[in-house]
Amino acid sequence: MVQAPEKDGTTLNKFEKFKAEKDGLAIKDELDHFAQIGWEAMDKTDLEHRLKWVGVFYRPVTPGKFMMRLRVPNGIISGEQMRVLGEIVQRYGDDGNADITTRQNLQLRGIRIEDIPDIFQRLKSVGMTSVQSGMDNVRNITGSPMAGLDADELIDTRELVQKVQDMITNCGQGNYQFTNLPRKFNIAIEGGRDNSVHAEINDIAFVPAYKEGELGFNVVVGGFFSAKRCEAAIPMNVWVRPNQEVVDLCRGILEVYRDNGLRANRQKSRLMWLIDEWGIEEFRTRVANQLGYPLATAAEKDAIDWEKRDHLGVFPQKQEGLSYIGLCVPVGRLFADDMFDLARIAEVYGSGELRLTVEQNVIIPNIAAENMPTLLTEPLLAKFTPNPTPLQRALVSCTGAQFCNFALIETKNKAVDLIRQLDAELNIPRGVRMHWTGCPNSCGQPQVADIGLMGTKARKDGKTVEGVDLYMGGKVGKDAHLGSCVQKGIPCEDLKSVLTSILIEQFGATPKG
Ligand code: SRM
Ligand code: SF4
């Protein structure tokens, strides 16, 4: 794809250099060759970077065992697809598992390079793709997990999310138009009243809004987290109808960003930095020019007027006689047997559909009333309960040191272990949203949590130990705003006592008798 040279003549950073040498997507035609020669013989840049353009991530922590990041638009996946993914990870024994991600998506683990051509065939056979899910591409597009089910829904996001993905990825074939962005890019489309997608932390988010009585979306732009800076998205002063206008606006913004986004310093390449440089008015004008027509101004206010729901438990749908059940998947971790069980349960009791949430949980929709009692006796529900404790129900964690080389601490196991201990000692009257993230990249979004924990190195008794920075005050749903760091460098071994005090003093917890 054509790229604007650096305006200030700065030397290209190493990422821009290797992208200019060979587009990451070109790797899709070399996968058979890699499978034959093995990962150790691969060119280092292809191995460590370009493979991410097809969603395959080399893991320095587990060399030879790759991670595969899929695309699950709107978090909707069929039982058949889930079963195929289960079969893929099953062949890797203890190395194989899957994680539900904070973008309503799935990542598979333990993948061997020699199996990748076969895995891609299997994905294709069930209409799935992992294309453009890593590096300087648009990530999984999130949408309301209740789309089409919720009686109070404003806009059904399913088709819109799929259309935006199809535009960006050329229907999953890969699209060189959008494979060399200055940096990663996040898009979310909210259709409900409760901001289920965390609109404020996306580069583009569509938020329902009535304009002169007509329902459409207000648009916010530039939200992002990075180690250097975190910003909530800001209004673009644009309103679009819930149709092709959404797809076109995404295309226009992506083209403007692709051709003008800052590329010299990767710490300053996300969309917000360009908006800073131009000002939001100029940015809006450039996007309108790119599209070739004027943009409608924003509706006065958006229609997010509910607190965020977590959808765990059993709830009626708008379709009479049907309900959905939300299951709590501790820190999003699934093994092959769990995936087979979820697929079977969705097919036997529901319509064969499953949904993933940004809280790393699973929803099974379309369950007839007469099927619910038997579903509730399924052994899987002992592991993935619809009735979790207040701490379990809102626990989120990024990958952490088990698989991620950026991590400063192990996260998922610590997170589960700590709430188990806190639950044993405290009565906690309300849900407390606790988010763990292993490093300042903030994949686990500590800034949206009631209590956010970000991995760091701390000092204790003169030694360097695993620790966390404590974030508090994140507000989600209506009037969402980001939390901030309130305490730095808490050694992990002191965390239980620190959190016990916070839960008692600020969340009404009482010690168990
Ligand atoms: Fe992330 C990089 C995992 C959501 C901000 N993220 C990474 C990498 C790819 C780093 C690496 O190569 O090891 C991690 C892969 C680890 C692994 O083996 O799993 C990784 N990010 C994740 C996931 C899996 C966390 C999770 O456990 O759920 C999430 C995958 C989402 C998906 O399905 O695509 C994930 N990452 C996020 C989010 C949250 C969100 O999107 O709502 C953020 C903050 C929001 C944002 O991007 O603005 C996030 N990830 C980052 C960053 C910092 C970006 C920046 O602008 O500096 C990095 C590092 C980078 O890109 O250089 C990063
Ligand atoms: Fe890895 Fe850091 Fe992201 Fe956690 S926050 S997945 S440790 S990059």
Side-chain angles (χ1 to χ4, degrees):
M1 193 50 235
V2 188
Q3 286 311 316
E6 263 321 305
K7 282 171 281 186
D8 56 5
T10 322
T11 325
L12 294 180
N13 66 57
K14 76 164 185 174
F15 292 85
E16 290 301 323
K17 266 194 199 139
F18 78 67
K19 289 192 293 177
E21 277 162 27
K22 176 167 98 178
D23 192 294
L25 185 61
I27 218 79
K28 74 182 166 67
D29 301 321
E30 297 173 61
L31 298 173
D32 287 338
H33 175 61
F34 297 151
Q36 274 163 18
I37 62 172
W39 65 272
E40 283 122 320
M42 281 178 67
D43 169 79
K44 201 167 164 348
T45 310
D46 287 347
L47 175 72
E48 292 177 1
H49 300 296
R50 293 197 187 95
L51 273 179
K52 293 180 182 172
W53 267 257
V54 292
V56 177
F57 290 60
Y58 172 72
R59 301 289 71 198
V61 180
T62 57
K65 299 168 195 170
F66 290 77
M67 181 269 276
M68 180 177 281
R69 179 184 285 167
L70 296 156
R71 301 192 77 96
V72 182
N74 211 125
I76 299 179
I77 178 168
S78 70
E80 186 192 20
Q81 291 171 330
M82 184 64 96
R83 190 173 295 110
V84 165
L85 301 182
E87 285 163 4
I88 291 171
V89 298
Q90 187 183 39
R91 69 166 99 158
Y92 301 115
D94 290 346
D95 291 337
N97 69 270
D99 285 324
I100 306 172
T101 77
T102 50
R103 293 201 68 78
Q104 255 181 345
N105 195 7
L106 281 166
Q107 292 187 165
L108 311 182
R109 303 216 178 257
I111 306 292
R112 307 298 169 121
I113 197 92
E114 58 272 24
D115 299 332
I116 283 177
D118 172 55
I119 291 173
F120 275 36
Q121 277 307 321
R122 289 173 182 233
L123 293 182
K124 201 170 163 201
S125 74
V126 288
M128 295 196 88
T129 182
S130 60
V131 78
Q132 291 166 240
S133 60
M135 279 300 288
D136 297 348
N137 287 291
V138 180
R139 298 286 181 275
N140 193 47
I141 300 164
T142 56
S144 305
M146 285 297 95
L149 309 176
D150 184 358
D152 296 295
E153 164 173 89
L154 297 167
I155 298 169
D156 184 343
T157 55
R158 290 174 294 180
E159 197 183 330
L160 289 172
V161 169
Q162 185 67 53
K163 280 187 168 165
V164 174
Q165 170 168 310
D166 287 347
M167 178 270 292
I168 290 165
T169 65
N170 184 24
C171 300
Q173 303 297 302
N175 181 358
Y176 285 104
Q177 291 293 316
F178 298 116
T179 48
N180 189 353
L181 300 174
R183 205 65 165 84
K184 70 182 291 195
F185 200 93
N186 292 327
I187 301 177
I189 309 182
E190 175 61 55
R193 298 170 174 276
D194 68 342
N195 186 12
S196 58
V197 295
H198 301 306
E200 67 283 4
I201 63 172
N202 283 267
D203 295 274
I204 310 177
F206 294 86
V207 180
Y210 286 96
K211 189 167 180 188
E212 290 150 19
E214 188 181 352
L215 188 53
F217 294 106
N218 277 344
V219 181
V220 292
V221 285
F224 79 113
F225 296 158
S226 73
K228 189 179 170 71
R229 178 181 173 199
C230 296
E231 291 291 344
I234 58 169
M236 189 181 167
N237 189 20
V238 172
W239 181 87
V240 286
R241 293 191 173 79
N243 55 28
Q244 187 61 29
E245 289 185 20
V246 169
V247 184
D248 292 343
L249 186 71
C250 286
R251 183 174 48 77
I253 291 175
L254 283 169
E255 285 170 354
V256 166
Y257 175 56
R258 177 194 66 199
D259 297 341
N260 301 278
L262 312 177
R263 289 175 183 261
N265 177 354
R266 284 184 67 83
Q267 297 304 319
K268 295 188 173 180
S269 297
R270 296 290 294 270
L271 179 65
M272 187 59 108
W273 294 96
L274 179 65
I275 296 173
D276 282 350
E277 188 170 286
W278 283 353
I280 191 73
E281 264 308 307
E282 171 72 7
F283 176 70
R284 188 180 184 284
T285 305
R286 297 277 196 123
V287 173
N289 290 346
Q290 182 71 25
L291 290 171
Y293 53 81
L295 294 165
T297 54
E300 203 175 311
K301 64 184 186 67
D302 62 45
I304 301 295
D305 50 7
W306 283 15
E307 293 305 331
K308 194 172 191 311
R309 297 164 293 173
D310 64 15
H311 307 296
L312 297 176
V314 176
F315 302 92
Q317 293 176 200
K318 70 177 177 189
Q319 294 84 3
E320 200 167 326
L322 296 183
S323 299
Y324 68 86
I325 186 167
L327 304 179
C328 180
V329 179
V331 292
R333 172 111 343 141
L334 301 170
F335 294 93
D337 287 344
D338 305 327
M339 297 161 86
F340 298 143
D341 270 346
L342 285 170
R344 177 183 56 78
I345 291 171
E347 286 164 356
V348 169
Y349 302 95
S351 57
E353 183 177 302
L354 293 149
R355 296 182 178 206
L356 312 174
T357 71
V358 297
E359 284 80 25
Q360 303 175 321
N361 292 319
V362 169
I363 292 167
I364 306 174
N366 302 322
I367 302 159
E370 61 269 25
N371 288 339
M372 194 59 87
T374 327
L375 191 165
L376 289 170
T377 66
E378 282 283 346
L380 185 72
L381 272 60
K383 186 174 181 191
F384 298 160
T385 173
N387 300 305
T389 69
L391 289 183
Q392 282 174 339
R393 71 183 308 134
L395 184 67
V396 169
S397 173
C398 84
T399 305
Q402 190 182 1
F403 299 111
C404 179
N405 57 305
F406 286 110
L408 299 168
I409 60 168
E410 195 283 320
T411 50
K412 284 197 191 258
N413 295 313
K414 269 198 182 62
V416 170
D417 194 45
L418 184 68
I419 61 159
R420 195 177 296 128
Q421 294 179 46
L422 291 168
D423 269 333
E425 293 177 18
L426 295 172
N427 291 309
I428 301 161
R430 48 164 275 211
V432 180
R433 294 174 309 98
M434 208 181 280
H435 283 225
W436 284 72
T437 207
C439 81
N441 283 330
S442 298
C443 304
Q445 312 149 323
Q447 304 84 348
V448 307
D450 292 319
I451 297 177
L453 303 163
M454 180 187 287
T456 187
K457 293 291 171 215
R459 298 288 293 172
K460 177 144 178 153
D461 303 331
K463 290 199 197 105
T464 303
V465 294
E466 287 199 332
V468 291
D469 292 341
L470 173 66
Y471 281 69
M472 292 196 66
K475 164 85 179 68
V476 293
K478 70 173 179 178
D479 306 323
H481 60 79
L482 303 182
S484 52
C485 182
V486 295
Q487 196 177 338
K488 282 185 162 282
I490 304 168
C492 287
E493 53 195 272
D494 297 344
L495 197 51
K496 188 177 143 208
S497 70
V498 172
L499 292 187
T500 300
S501 304
I502 290 175
L503 288 167
I504 291 173
E505 285 158 22
Q506 301 188 38
F507 296 90
T510 50
K512 280 187 174 157

